[in-house]
Amino acid sequence: RMDSEGATRRILITGIAAAIVNGLLAGGNVDRAIVARPAWTGVGLAAWADYSRQAVLGNGQVFYPAMAIGGTLLCVLAAILFLRAGRVPQEAAWPVLLGASLMVICLPVSFVAAPFILSLRHIDNQDIAALGRAFDGSFFWGRFQMALHVLSFFANLWAISALSRNDSAGTQRPA
């Protein structure tokens, strides 16, 4: 077992990295829900499809999954480090484990959402019904992703706060 100060520091560093990645994911999702979706509704489905083909199916095809998988792995690593640590602040248990759980739950949601965007590879811009299904499906499942990413980000911040407290009296578990 690692010493409690070293263990707490490792969990904290991993939690900070997770918060950075998950904060970017959460922010991107909130932007898409509040700013982008209404704008794309006004601009039109063909413009949205063209943009999505260039952005999401371009650089986003690697960037977004790397961020989602990276954020998940960082949260899971923080949880594993926490569970393996001997004496760390117990008040961090809930947020560390919650952040990891939410990100793990989000991965299957992403797999359900992905086919809607991927379908744009085969949909002609003249097929408004198919574009509408892709648009509605991607934003429908995107709301679930957004909720899970935002909640995980806040759990990461909560964990950072709990791990950063100097006064851990009564919050240690025995080695």
Side-chain angles (χ1 to χ4, degrees):
R1 292 197 185 250
M2 51 183 114
D3 67 280
S4 65
E5 187 176 314
T8 301
R9 188 174 306 121
R10 286 177 189 84
I11 299 163
L12 180 61
I13 290 168
T14 306
I16 290 169
I20 291 168
V21 173
N22 292 334
L24 291 169
L25 283 167
N29 279 297
V30 169
D31 176 70
R32 280 188 291 284
I34 295 173
V35 177
R37 187 177 200 282
W40 288 122
T41 301
V43 172
L45 292 173
W48 168 76
D50 287 339
Y51 171 82
S52 295
R53 287 182 192 111
Q54 292 298 312
V56 181
L57 298 177
N59 291 342
Q61 191 170 330
V62 173
F63 182 74
Y64 294 141
M67 293 277 289
I69 292 167
T72 302
L73 290 176
L74 286 166
C75 283
V76 168
L77 177 59
I80 291 169
L81 290 172
F82 181 85
L83 292 171
R84 292 188 63 205
R87 298 176 60 84
V88 294
Q90 284 300 287
E91 60 197 18
W94 272 103
V96 168
L97 298 174
L98 180 64
S101 298
L102 291 166
M103 289 303 291
V104 168
I105 291 167
C106 193
L107 284 179
V109 173
S110 298
F111 290 124
V112 173
F116 290 101
I117 288 292
L118 295 173
S119 71
L120 293 176
R121 290 182 176 147
H122 310 291
I123 298 174
D124 184 86
N125 278 4
Q126 304 306 312
D127 189 347
I128 300 300
L131 288 178
R133 286 189 297 276
F135 181 82
D136 291 339
S138 69
F139 281 101
F140 175 82
W141 289 103
R143 284 187 211 122
F144 291 108
Q145 290 174 302
M146 177 186 67
L148 292 166
H149 287 150
V150 167
L151 291 171
S152 181
F153 172 64
F154 283 119
N156 296 153
L157 295 180
W158 179 16
I160 291 167
S161 174
L163 291 164
S164 298
R165 289 193 186 105
N166 289 329
D167 179 23
S168 60
T171 60
Q172 305 284 330
R173 67 177 163 186

